[in-house]
């Protein structure tokens, strides 16, 4: 997989797929072309599951939606959930999604970041949802994902008062799990995580993601159902046998 789809560059990195938001002159503002490219990428990763690493070119992740396009949208566009459906599809990809965040990750850019399973950042990160200042709300995931990620009190301040977190504040809140000095270093760290995922059993990883995403009411039934399938898998037998053989040789 190696393609350029306008605002989104997609590269096969072996252990994972790297997607680069590539509108640096617009601070990677999310436009319809990018949404279309995300759907195309998700279709490929649904057919052939791979870990996805996503980051932005030019020192920012994504400064928000393209305001020129957003200004022209009307009620029917809102109900169509243009960004919502794309970001939900990213969140529901079978394998992990890892976001490397640098510079601005605001509005729709923040909501794309919230859709990732794992986020790493830099001290220069500025992440939040200032949508109400533009006369709209954060309707593409922030209103429900952010509460789960950082808790209701901080989510309320971000959503209702337009608070923008620094990289250090995002780390303290658990919104990102690591900070790295530069965007390049954050990307390298994200790709190192993807390489670590690639050493694990993909079926077990996919099952774990399904269980992790399940609502509380689904537990423990979904855990046991997924485990029952894995307990019968040849890969489980192979990996456990190799583990026991290595242990016996020590």
């Amino acid at each position: 997989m190696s393609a350029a789809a306008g605002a989104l560059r997609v590269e096969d990195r072996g252990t994972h797929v790297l997607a680069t938001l590539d509108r640096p002159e617009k601070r990677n503002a999310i436009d319809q072309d990018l949404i279309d490219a995300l759907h195309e990428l998700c279709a490929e990763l649904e057919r052939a599951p791979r870990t996805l690493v996503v980051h932005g070119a030019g020192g920012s992740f994504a400064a928000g939606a393209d305001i020129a396009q957003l200004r022209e949208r009307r009620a029917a566009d809102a109900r169509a959930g243009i960004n919502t459906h794309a970001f939900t599809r990213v969140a529901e990809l079978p394998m992990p999604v890892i976001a490397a965040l640098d510079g601005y990750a605001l509005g729709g850019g923040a909501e794309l970041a919230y859709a990732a399973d794992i986020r790493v950042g830099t001290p220069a990160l500025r992440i939040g949802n200032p949508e109400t200042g533009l006369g709209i709300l954060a309707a593409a995931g922030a209103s429900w994902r952010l509460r789960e990620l950082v808790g209701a009190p901080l989510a309320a301040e971000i959503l209702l008062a337009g608070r923008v977190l620094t990289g250090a504040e995002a780390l303290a809140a658990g919104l990102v799990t690591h900070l790295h000095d530069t965007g390049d270093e954050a990307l390298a760290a994200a790709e190192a995580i993807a390489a670590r995922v690639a050493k694990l059993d993909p079926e077990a990883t996919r099952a774990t993601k399904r269980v992790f995403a399940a609502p509380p009411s689904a537990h423990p039934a979904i855990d046991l159902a997924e485990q029952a399938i894995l307990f019968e898998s040849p890969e489980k037998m192979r990996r456990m046998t190799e583990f026991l053989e290595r242990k016996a040789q020590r």
Side-chain angles (χ1 to χ4, degrees), residues 4 11 19 25 29 45 65-66 79 87 89 91 98 135 144 147 159 188 191 194 197 201 218 222 232 240:
E11 304 168 63
E25 73 285 357
L45 293 176
D66 188 304
R79 294 189 180 95
F87 299 165
R89 201 169 179 184
I98 306 165
W144 70 91
R147 179 196 297 262
L159 294 170
E191 294 195 284
V197 171
D201 175 17
I222 189 173
E232 297 293 332
M240 290 192 176

Side-chain angles (χ1 to χ4, degrees), residues 207-223:
T208 299
K209 181 165 179 176
R210 288 192 294 270
V211 169
F212 188 79
S217 60
H219 301 284
I222 189 173
D223 309 60

Side-chain angles (χ1 to χ4, degrees), residues 9-243:
R9 283 190 286 115
V10 179
E11 304 168 63
D12 187 334
R13 292 296 185 97
T15 57
H16 61 280
V17 171
L18 175 64
T20 304
L21 312 185
D22 195 19
R23 299 181 74 208
E25 73 285 357
K26 299 286 188 179
R27 290 178 175 169
N28 303 321
I30 295 170
D31 65 355
Q32 186 64 57
D33 287 344
L34 177 58
I35 292 298
D36 292 343
L38 281 173
H39 278 297
E40 183 178 339
L41 174 59
C42 286
E44 178 62 29
L45 293 176
E46 289 159 358
R47 287 192 295 270
R50 306 274 298 282
T51 294
L52 173 64
V53 174
V54 59
H55 81 124
S60 278
F61 182 69
D66 188 304
I67 302 302
Q69 289 188 7
L70 199 59
R71 185 183 62 179
E72 301 308 313
R73 291 179 181 172
R74 295 296 184 263
D77 299 305
R79 294 189 180 95
I82 295 169
N83 288 6
T84 304
H85 293 311
F87 299 165
T88 297
R89 201 169 179 184
V90 169
E92 293 177 352
L93 286 171
M95 289 291 283
V97 178
I98 306 165
L101 308 174
D102 187 26
Y104 293 112
L106 299 173
E111 291 181 298
L112 176 56
Y114 303 156
D117 300 294
I118 300 167
R119 287 161 296 277
V120 301
T122 71
L125 174 62
R126 299 294 182 269
I127 185 167
N129 293 92
E131 279 90 341
T132 52
L134 294 170
I136 59 173
L137 63 86
S143 61
W144 70 91
R145 290 195 181 101
L146 192 55
R147 179 196 297 262
E148 293 185 358
L149 292 170
V150 303
L154 181 54
E157 187 174 357
I158 293 168
L159 294 170
L160 300 177
R163 179 176 173 183
V164 173
L165 302 184
T166 66
E169 289 169 335
L171 178 65
L175 189 55
V176 299
T177 53
H178 307 277
L179 283 187
H180 302 272
D181 289 340
T182 68
D184 287 344
E185 290 177 7
L187 175 58
E191 294 195 284
I193 295 171
R196 199 158 72 233
V197 171
K199 295 178 181 178
L200 309 175
D201 175 17
E203 289 303 321
T205 301
R206 292 172 63 178
T208 299
K209 181 165 179 176
R210 288 192 294 270
V211 169
F212 188 79
S217 60
H219 301 284
I222 189 173
D223 309 60
L224 304 182
E226 293 284 2
Q227 190 76 300
I229 295 170
L230 293 172
F231 268 21
E232 297 293 332
S233 72
E235 186 65 8
K236 172 242 186 182
M237 295 299 296
R238 185 188 72 79
R239 285 174 177 263
M240 290 192 176
T241 299
E242 288 184 356
F243 173 84

